[in-house]
Amino acid sequence: MEFHPFIEKSSTQEIKAFQEEKLQQLLAYLEGNSPFYQRMFKEKKINVGELRTLEDLQKIPVTTKNDLQQHNHDFFCIPPDKIVDYSTTSGTLGDPVTFGLSDGDLERLAYNEAISFACAGIQKGDVVQMITTIDKRFMAGLAYFLGLRKMGASVVRMGPGIPELQWDSIFRYKPKYLITVPSFLLKMIDYAEKHGLDYKNSSVYGAVCIGESIKNQDFTDNILSQKIKEKWDIKLFSTYASTEMSTAFTECEFQIGGHHHPELIITEILDDEGNIVKEGESGELTITTLGVEAIPLLRFKTGDIVKAHYEACQCGRNTMRLGPVIGRKQQMIKYKGTTLYPPAMNDILNDFNNILCYQIVIQANEIGLDEIIIKLSTDQEHESFVNEVRDHFRAKLRVSPKIEIIDFDILSKTVFNPNSRKPITFIDLR
């Protein structure tokens, strides 16, 4: 089985021609099987036979999360008895959406993760410890397991949390890679230091980091990444994916963005008017899935603001690469004339060693303007520490949010909610 697909090393013209052929197959499939898209094509008088190029995608309306929530059932292209797995999106905003996967979809998911992990350097025979849930209708955990199995790696399914058990497992099974939310690595390091564990000489070479950004836009390490590497000299690889696209963008060893898999997904990056942004500009990632049987999506707006990079990578792949997600479109904050996204605030808060946990709350005040409240737990003298945090915000982002100190036992219960797959560090009450 080849985990460095030939198409990724083909020329950009060959990749485009390949994708256009796949696009025509997808349009014919949707016209034959998708109640939602059949209705759209009819209402908009779209003749799918006339759509031949990637540029022709612009003639088709976009699909939104709202469409998926309101017409969830109409997106299914296969009967219920062909569905072998049900997953839901995490539903950070609004109701979660149900995704069914056919046997073929699970196979595609496994292939996607196998070529993504291969990108990060994982090989047959490597031991990989999964510090992520595989249950609770979570697609990613299942995808990681299937991908590792497909490529012939050995998996230690630990699940999230409990540093003591993670270390026990690391010393017992000697994994080379971990798959984890990166902020949890700080908890593991903290536990190891307090209990005198020789973590610096463990078997761990690298971690594939999910759910949180570890890079700045210029691909330098962000604060979170720096804090991990200062203590523990391991390689950190970014990966970005979502349930809707069933496809991952994972960094190779050169770590300059997550590589696109052209046989699995078509990408467009759109501005607020729905036009393709100029090279070097950021916009909303809009995706068209290829080879999905149960719920294929056409021009689906992910809500993620990203920037694409097109210059050739030294690894030999000629595919587009995505930089770190700048933020979620719906989480954009207009604060006293400044436009902000939560990741920029996370970076500032991660810079403080004395913050035990935090949560950013956005609400509209009486006159309809956005208000930022930072709730945090600290072991420092409160007043001077609050001023220090506020000064840091002013210096870096030119904004001065309201800061509330909250007891760790109370705040940690809402941040590390057992029903959530990652820490809830942002709440939008607008």
Side-chain angles (χ1 to χ4, degrees):
M1 184 75 204
E2 175 54 64
F3 295 120
H4 294 274
F6 177 73
I7 190 65
E8 300 190 0
K9 299 188 175 178
S10 305
S11 70
T12 45
Q13 292 84 352
E14 287 169 320
I15 290 174
K16 183 174 188 287
F18 172 85
Q19 287 212 308
E20 287 174 344
E21 193 181 317
K22 292 269 190 195
L23 174 62
Q24 287 164 32
Q25 291 166 11
L26 168 71
L27 291 169
Y29 181 77
L30 291 174
E31 192 173 47
N33 301 285
S34 169
F36 179 84
Y37 288 111
Q38 285 167 344
R39 194 164 62 237
M40 177 204 277
F41 296 155
K42 202 170 168 182
E43 281 171 11
K44 303 290 178 189
K45 300 186 170 48
I46 292 168
N47 177 355
V48 297
E50 290 172 359
L51 305 175
R52 306 216 161 273
T53 67
L54 295 187
E55 290 75 15
D56 287 341
L57 276 169
Q58 290 272 306
K59 298 172 182 169
I60 303 171
V62 293
T63 301
T64 63
K65 294 223 168 190
N66 205 11
D67 293 325
L68 264 178
Q69 278 170 334
Q70 290 183 345
H71 309 284
N72 200 171
H73 196 72
D74 289 348
F75 280 90
F76 279 80
C77 291
I78 57 174
D81 64 352
K82 290 276 187 290
I83 291 167
V84 295
D85 181 76
Y86 282 101
S87 296
T88 45
T89 58
S90 40
T92 335
L93 308 156
D95 287 333
V97 171
T98 296
F99 274 78
L101 289 97
S102 68
D103 206 43
D105 291 340
L106 282 183
E107 191 49 51
R108 178 189 173 285
L109 201 58
Y111 172 73
N112 157 67
E113 287 300 344
I115 59 179
S116 297
F117 288 143
C119 218
I122 298 177
Q123 296 175 342
K124 183 176 181 173
D126 285 343
V127 179
V128 182
Q129 184 156 317
M130 277 177 51
I131 306 180
T132 164
T133 187
I134 196 169
D135 52 11
K136 300 188 173 70
R137 304 196 303 258
F138 183 38
M139 186 191 277
L142 178 64
Y144 305 145
F145 176 75
L146 293 173
L148 292 166
R149 173 176 178 252
K150 188 169 187 66
M151 68 194 307
S154 307
V155 187
V156 186
R157 285 180 296 110
M158 278 304 299
I162 324 177
E164 181 183 3
L165 278 182
Q166 304 293 349
W167 284 118
D168 172 74
S169 188
I170 287 168
F171 293 126
R172 196 181 293 256
Y173 303 112
K174 308 203 171 8
K176 186 174 177 182
Y177 291 89
L178 309 175
I179 301 174
T180 182
V181 175
S183 55
F184 183 68
L185 291 170
L186 290 174
K187 285 200 166 54
M188 285 179 58
I189 293 166
D190 183 54
Y191 180 91
E193 287 182 339
K194 285 181 177 151
H195 293 81
L197 303 180
D198 185 13
Y199 68 96
K200 290 184 179 178
N201 289 313
S202 75
S203 59
V204 178
Y205 164 81
V208 175
C209 296
I210 62 168
E212 295 169 332
S213 179
I214 52 169
K215 292 279 167 75
N216 298 314
Q217 286 303 312
D218 62 358
F219 301 121
T220 52
D221 288 341
N222 70 8
I223 308 265
L224 176 57
S225 198
Q226 287 169 27
K227 284 175 87 166
I228 295 164
K229 288 181 179 178
E230 271 161 24
K231 298 271 193 174
W232 197 11
D233 182 23
I234 58 173
K235 291 254 191 287
L236 301 177
F237 296 91
S238 295
T239 184
Y240 159 70
S242 70
T243 303
E244 293 91 349
M245 54 193 190
S246 295
T247 311
F249 292 77
T250 305
E251 287 184 318
C252 67
E253 69 270 30
F254 296 101
Q255 302 206 325
I256 48 170
H259 277 281
H260 170 217
H261 300 311
E263 71 264 58
L264 300 178
I265 197 166
I266 294 170
T267 57
E268 300 169 85
I269 296 176
L270 305 179
D271 64 17
D272 289 342
E273 278 71 58
N275 303 311
I276 303 267
V277 300
K278 292 192 183 74
E279 207 167 302
E281 288 181 3
S282 59
E284 184 172 3
L285 179 67
T286 301
I287 56 107
T288 295
T289 54
L290 300 172
V292 172
E293 291 174 348
I295 301 192
L297 293 172
L298 180 61
R299 302 200 79 211
F300 175 75
K301 293 177 81 170
T302 61
D304 291 324
I305 305 296
V306 296
K307 193 161 109 180
H309 298 264
Y310 299 95
E311 62 283 5
C313 183
Q314 290 167 264
C315 71
R317 292 175 180 85
N318 290 323
T319 47
M320 177 274 281
R321 299 181 315 285
L322 284 184
V325 174
I326 295 164
R328 307 260 317 137
K329 193 167 174 128
Q330 278 145 300
Q331 293 178 349
M332 186 175 94
I333 302 152
K334 285 272 203 245
Y335 188 72
K336 298 181 181 168
T338 306
T339 297
L340 290 175
Y341 288 102
M345 293 191 278
N346 294 344
D347 271 356
I348 289 174
L349 294 164
N350 287 336
D351 209 359
F352 288 92
N353 291 326
N354 331 60
I355 293 180
L356 306 172
C357 73
Y358 66 82
Q359 192 168 61
I360 301 159
V361 180
I362 308 295
Q363 57 190 36
N365 64 14
E366 312 78 84
I367 51 174
L369 299 174
D370 292 347
E371 191 172 63
I372 305 172
I373 300 160
I374 311 275
K375 299 181 173 186
L376 54 88
S377 307
T378 178
D379 45 15
Q380 295 298 294
E381 195 275 310
H382 291 178
E383 199 173 325
S384 60
F385 186 65
V386 164
N387 291 334
E388 195 186 337
V389 174
R390 199 174 282 122
D391 289 347
H392 214 54
F393 266 90
R394 273 199 205 103
K396 290 276 172 68
L397 296 179
R398 299 190 295 283
V399 300
S400 175
K402 194 170 158 192
I403 294 168
E404 291 177 5
I405 303 281
I406 294 182
D407 190 58
F408 177 75
D409 290 341
I410 295 167
L411 186 58
S412 63
K413 283 191 177 72
T414 59
V415 175
F416 303 107
N417 184 319
N419 294 325
S420 175
R421 295 161 189 166
K422 47 193 173 199
I424 302 170
T425 54
F426 182 78
I427 290 183
D428 196 337
L429 301 173
R430 293 173 292 179

